[in-house]
Amino acid sequence: MNKASFLDKEATRSVLASLLAILIGMLVGSIVIVIVGLTNPSLGIKGAWEGIRLVVGGLFATGRNTAGKLTFGFNPTSFGNMLFRAVPLIMTGLSVALGNKVGLFNIGASGQYLAGTAGSLYVALTLPTSVFPAWLVWLIAFLFGMLCGALWGAIPGLLKAFLNINEVLACIMTNWIAANVVTWFFDVSNLKNMLEGTKSGYVYKTSTVLNDVVIEGVRSTVGAAVPEGATVTATRGGVATAKMGLDKLFSGSQVNAGILVAILIAIVIYILLSKTTLGYQMKACGANRYAARYAGIRDKRNIVLTMAIAGALSAAGGALYFLSGNTEFFWNTYQSLPAEGFNGIPVALLAINNPLGVMFAAMFMSMLQICGQKLTELTAYNEYITNVIIAVIVYLAAFMLVIKTWIAKLRKGKAVSR
Amino acid sequence: MPFLIRQTLVYAVPLMIVALAGVYAERSGIINLALEGIMIFGAFMGVLFVHMVQQWGWFQSAYDAKNYLALQGFCMLAILFSALLGAVFSLLLAFAAINLKADQTIGGTALNLLAPAFVLFFIRIIANQNTLNMYTGDSASWFMLKKAMFGYGRTEKMGFLGSTFVDKVYVATYICIIVFIIMAIILYKTRFGMRLRSCGENPQASASLGINVIKMRYAGTVISGALAGMGGFVYVLTTANCSANGEVAGFGFLALAVMIFGNWKPGNICGAAFLFGLFKCIAASYSTLDINGDGIYALKNLNINTNIYRMLPYVITLVVLSFTSKSSRAPKAEGIPYDQGSR
């Protein structure tokens, strides 16, 4: 058997396995919808059929016509929002996938995501745009967010490498610590949205223009409109990711250049893992830490470095999502962790830890989120059915990998006997 | 002081029982990362049971007649139901991990994702909101012990023991403690328990002595599911007024930490759970906590941010683990799928 065709087959098999998982997930979701439809007289089989069509093709849903029938067609808002929501999923997916490649189960993406969010929001809303240009503030905020995430991610890495603490446990603990630290940080900060009375519990959007003013000797912060007789000491905020015309292409959506940044980072991680010495050393540690050490690879350094990079990736997801200028961060996170972190796990599993596959898996997941949204808008069902589908896919992924290693073993066995 | 002990018990008991759930699974060789998910599922099923039975009016007459014994029986039934459904839910993990030799961490994560999704989907359909409450009344009036039940008047005092362990306490808390003791004895003092533990250490050796490893691992996981389901329901009963909303505030993961902290041993787990329970209790109510009864809120006067108390259990876990991880006594075969061929 020549090598190229075997590799081709391996790749096809991986894609087929993922597609099968998606198919079964959709099927289970549909079955739940039908059962609920049949037991609920207000829905009936007609409602169930509408539900199934929306779960599969919700991305193309355009609403209902005057006769009350569902209509489908190209929906630029949904497409744009799909791309926008894929950004954090690509980043956390990359983070988990990188960990998996090195044999570390990074369940701490949520905490790293929070660290990145807090770091980038802090810089974006504190550095005066009256001194620095807005694009520079954006860049510093983005990089600082990634730095925060890298430091946060390095903690479980250090604990794993030097004290042999299970990284899953360390990640879970650091997640909750991050949730509390971030709540505390914004609790005492002056970044809470005080200008809009209805927005209690939210941090300012990064696009909000804030003016630090002195009115009759009293310092305070006001919005873009400066009252008369006040002296402006500094202007902050007004930072947002560039749209680069994408908002015109997908009108009415939140999409911006963040998606391009995310794709670029995915390509960089792909090159890092498959084309560089560092990537090779990392993967060697993942395959067998002790064998790698015997071969002269510094396993402890690689574990810490991997977790730091994984942390920076998750953090970049948080930074890109909240630097977009049209999203608001709810800072009281101590009781619940951001779902984006945990959704990185199914994304990575669905992509079989391939950085380029992560892009498509993330798009698929954000498409499912849009479908769920449409389901809530247009029927009596709700968006949580898409989470059921995702959970089923993860469940299948747990033994999809096992089946594939089993096939690989079978092949090896044959080769030996021959 | 009575308040502090009572509240600590409320937080410590679910942790204790769920940590023991983790011990049963891991001692049989299955990593049960799904404790959180099973708790969420068990909590939902217990609340749903209470909701439905109330809706059918079965215990309304007992409630009206203030027949506390019948109401406590109702509570027991709900606990049993949540344990049963928790066990059924854990079969998903057992099947993937034992029959399909799947990655147990990913399987557990799948259950952790599935439970809140499934639960919220149905809560939204049943209740048209994100929380499922009791059909009528609240958990305190239905299931809590009160001094009035023992003939004490509104102003009479029950004494230290009475006001700590009887007044405003849920019987469910004591049920959990009794179940914990019984299950710990079963794990250590019976033939079944020893066989189960052997499967988590060296399954091949166990099999050579005629033990059915697959059966034992199923037993471990299912018992684990039952205990976690029960713990989940008791948690929402005692802390969330018997309402389910698809989360248990990370208690399942905290229980996992308690289990590792307690070195997979019931006695140590008990101590660890009380330590964690104490911190949870302090975080929740430090500003009105009067420890020695002199009317001064000592902890509030220390002026420490709430979030520090909230994160202390997690920080302590990490610190203690960094000192003890070298002497960790994790079951040797946990997480490794049982393969009859490899000896």
Side-chain angles (χ1 to χ4, degrees):
Chain A
M1 190 182 289
N2 76 47
K3 207 181 164 196
S5 78
F6 175 73
L7 278 177
D8 282 350
K9 267 190 167 170
E10 171 68 33
T12 350
R13 207 161 51 217
S14 302
V15 173
L16 278 180
S18 290
L19 288 179
L20 189 71
I22 290 174
L23 201 70
I24 297 176
M26 290 284 198
L27 200 68
V28 172
S30 304
I31 291 171
V32 173
I33 283 181
V34 169
I35 292 173
V36 169
L38 289 179
T39 50
N40 198 333
S42 65
L43 285 163
I45 192 73
K46 192 169 155 282
W49 174 234
E50 281 184 347
I52 291 174
R53 280 197 294 167
L54 281 177
V55 162
V56 177
L59 186 62
F60 296 96
T62 48
R64 286 180 186 278
N65 60 18
T66 42
K69 289 238 159 40
L70 290 174
T71 54
F72 291 90
F74 177 70
N75 186 339
T77 312
S78 291
F79 262 88
N81 283 340
M82 178 187 86
L83 292 176
F84 178 66
R85 287 186 182 197
V87 173
L89 290 175
I90 292 176
M91 300 315 298
T92 50
L94 282 175
S95 170
V96 177
L98 181 71
N100 284 346
K101 282 267 184 196
V102 192
L104 301 163
F105 188 50
N106 180 18
I107 201 170
S110 294
Q112 297 148 9
Y113 183 87
L114 277 176
T117 305
S120 57
L121 279 176
Y122 174 70
V123 172
L125 289 169
T126 319
L127 269 193
T129 32
S130 45
V131 181
F132 305 102
W135 64 266
L136 187 63
V137 174
W138 188 95
L139 192 65
I140 296 172
F142 180 64
L143 293 176
F144 184 72
M146 279 178 81
L147 179 70
C148 290
L151 292 176
W152 199 254
I155 296 172
L158 287 166
L159 291 172
K160 166 86 177 178
F162 292 99
L163 297 167
N164 201 24
I165 295 178
N166 186 325
E167 81 277 7
V168 175
L169 188 82
C171 280
I172 291 168
M173 293 299 117
T174 48
N175 271 349
W176 288 102
I177 295 171
N180 281 295
V181 170
V182 168
T183 306
W184 185 15
F185 175 72
F186 284 113
D187 207 5
V188 297
S189 78
N190 59 349
L191 306 176
K192 287 180 282 187
N193 195 337
M194 297 295 187
L195 297 177
E196 295 163 85
T198 53
K199 295 284 183 194
S200 91
Y202 285 92
V203 174
Y204 289 115
K205 291 177 186 172
T206 54
S207 57
T208 322
V209 176
L210 300 168
N211 285 305
D212 290 330
V213 292
V214 182
I215 307 171
E216 291 167 0
V218 182
R219 285 172 175 278
S220 68
T221 303
V222 298
V226 180
E228 257 181 72
T231 331
V232 178
T233 54
T235 307
R236 298 176 284 135
V239 178
T241 315
K243 296 275 188 193
M244 294 183 79
L246 286 168
D247 55 333
K248 293 195 180 62
L249 202 57
F250 303 104
S251 59
S253 72
Q254 295 179 299
V255 67
N256 59 34
I259 183 74
L260 304 176
V261 178
I263 290 173
L264 192 71
I265 293 177
I267 294 170
V268 169
I269 295 297
Y270 173 76
I271 293 171
L272 170 78
L273 274 176
S274 53
K275 307 279 181 219
T276 66
T277 318
L278 179 64
Y280 184 79
Q281 289 188 350
M282 284 166 137
K283 283 192 290 185
C285 284
N288 187 333
R289 183 177 164 185
Y290 304 101
R293 188 193 292 166
Y294 187 70
I297 294 169
R298 290 162 67 191
D299 58 330
K300 288 182 179 173
R301 188 202 68 163
N302 277 308
I303 285 173
V304 178
L305 196 61
T306 305
M307 284 306 291
I309 298 174
L313 289 171
S314 291
L320 285 176
Y321 189 74
F322 288 104
L323 285 175
S324 72
N326 46 25
T327 41
E328 291 169 288
F329 180 61
F330 183 76
W331 54 268
N332 220 347
T333 56
Y334 72 93
Q335 268 185 329
S336 59
L337 295 162
E340 282 82 358
F342 291 111
N343 284 342
I345 298 167
V347 167
L349 291 175
L350 200 55
I352 320 170
N353 302 327
N354 182 324
L356 299 180
V358 162
M359 293 190 298
F360 298 102
M363 301 267 187
F364 171 74
M365 298 283 281
S366 62
M367 187 205 78
L368 269 187
Q369 286 182 0
I370 302 281
C371 292
Q373 211 181 357
K374 290 287 169 197
L375 204 60
T376 318
E377 274 173 29
L378 298 170
T379 68
Y381 293 105
N382 57 65
E383 72 267 27
Y384 294 107
I385 189 68
T386 57
N387 293 356
V388 173
I389 294 173
I390 292 168
V392 171
I393 292 174
V394 175
Y395 185 72
L396 294 173
F399 43 87
M400 216 53 104
L401 292 169
V402 175
I403 292 168
K404 284 178 63 188
T405 44
W406 180 67
I407 294 169
K409 257 186 206 162
L410 213 67
R411 290 190 161 279
K412 243 183 242 164
K414 266 186 192 159
V416 169
S417 66
R418 208 178 294 154
Chain B
M1 193 71 181
F3 173 79
L4 185 66
I5 296 175
R6 210 166 57 213
Q7 271 318 97
T8 302
L9 264 179
V10 161
Y11 287 110
V13 159
L15 274 180
M16 197 164 94
I17 199 96
V18 179
L20 188 70
V23 171
Y24 258 92
E26 301 221 343
R27 285 282 185 155
S28 76
I30 306 289
I31 294 180
N32 193 350
L33 207 65
L35 288 175
E36 175 98 355
I38 301 172
M39 272 183 91
I40 291 171
F41 192 78
F44 167 67
M45 283 301 171
V47 174
L48 186 69
F49 180 82
V50 171
H51 184 93
M52 295 306 247
V53 171
Q54 280 183 327
Q55 198 174 359
W56 295 328
W58 288 0
F59 282 88
Q60 191 61 45
S61 54
Y63 178 70
D64 293 336
K66 298 218 176 297
N67 181 351
Y68 298 116
L69 216 58
L71 291 181
Q72 291 304 335
F74 179 25
C75 185
M76 296 311 110
L77 282 180
I79 292 177
L80 259 181
F81 187 75
S82 57
L84 194 71
L85 268 292
V88 171
F89 191 57
S90 71
L91 281 176
L92 277 177
L93 176 68
F95 178 69
I98 300 166
N99 295 72
L100 300 175
K101 299 187 170 47
D103 183 318
Q104 296 168 8
T105 318
I106 300 175
T109 307
L111 261 64
N112 282 339
L113 292 171
L114 184 61
F118 181 85
V119 162
L120 279 169
F121 179 72
F122 280 98
I123 288 177
R124 271 278 271 278
I125 285 185
I126 295 166
N128 217 3
Q129 59 179 21
N130 277 357
T131 314
L132 181 69
N133 294 310
M134 286 169 72
Y135 186 68
T136 166
D138 55 12
S139 69
S141 73
W142 279 71
F143 304 127
M144 199 186 246
L145 289 180
K146 284 188 218 72
K147 54 184 177 185
M149 294 174 194
F150 301 91
Y152 285 86
R154 190 172 281 272
T155 51
E156 284 175 273
K157 290 242 157 72
M158 278 188 93
F160 177 75
L161 285 179
S163 55
T164 308
F165 297 111
V166 181
D167 188 27
K168 291 182 195 152
V169 173
Y170 288 93
V171 178
T173 303
Y174 296 121
I175 300 283
C176 277
I177 294 176
I178 293 166
V179 169
F180 181 87
I181 294 169
I182 293 173
M183 294 314 281
I185 291 173
I186 288 178
L187 189 60
Y188 274 86
K189 302 289 174 200
T190 66
R191 203 169 62 166
F192 167 75
M194 289 182 195
R195 287 184 167 181
L196 188 131
R197 283 187 293 140
S198 77
C199 293
E201 298 295 333
N202 192 339
Q204 278 79 23
S206 315
S208 75
L209 296 172
I211 299 170
N212 187 336
V213 177
I214 292 179
K215 246 189 209 166
M216 279 297 160
R217 288 198 164 177
Y218 257 101
T221 317
V222 167
I223 291 173
S224 170
L227 291 175
M230 170 182 166
F233 176 64
V234 171
Y235 171 74
V236 295
L237 175 72
T238 52
T239 65
N241 197 18
C242 199
S243 67
N245 60 355
E247 62 164 326
V248 288
F251 253 60
F253 289 126
L254 203 55
L256 214 61
V258 166
M259 176 189 77
I260 296 173
F261 197 84
N263 225 350
W264 290 266
K265 292 193 185 97
N268 298 2
I269 282 174
C270 199
F274 274 93
L275 183 73
F276 277 55
L278 182 66
F279 277 107
K280 277 272 161 193
C281 167
I282 290 174
S285 54
Y286 75 98
S287 60
T288 55
L289 205 57
D290 185 1
I291 297 171
N292 44 14
D294 56 2
I296 299 168
Y297 301 143
L299 286 173
K300 193 185 181 186
N301 293 346
L302 284 178
N303 235 342
I304 297 172
N305 193 290
T306 327
N307 289 293
I308 293 196
Y309 290 114
R310 285 203 192 110
M311 70 174 104
L312 260 182
Y314 310 108
V315 177
I316 291 176
T317 309
L318 282 183
V319 171
V320 172
L321 284 182
S322 25
F323 287 113
T324 59
S325 64
K326 291 263 155 47
S327 62
S328 156
R329 267 290 298 122
K332 282 201 184 63
E334 68 165 8
I336 305 164
Y338 171 59
D339 181 1
Q340 244 165 343
S342 68
R343 293 237 160 119

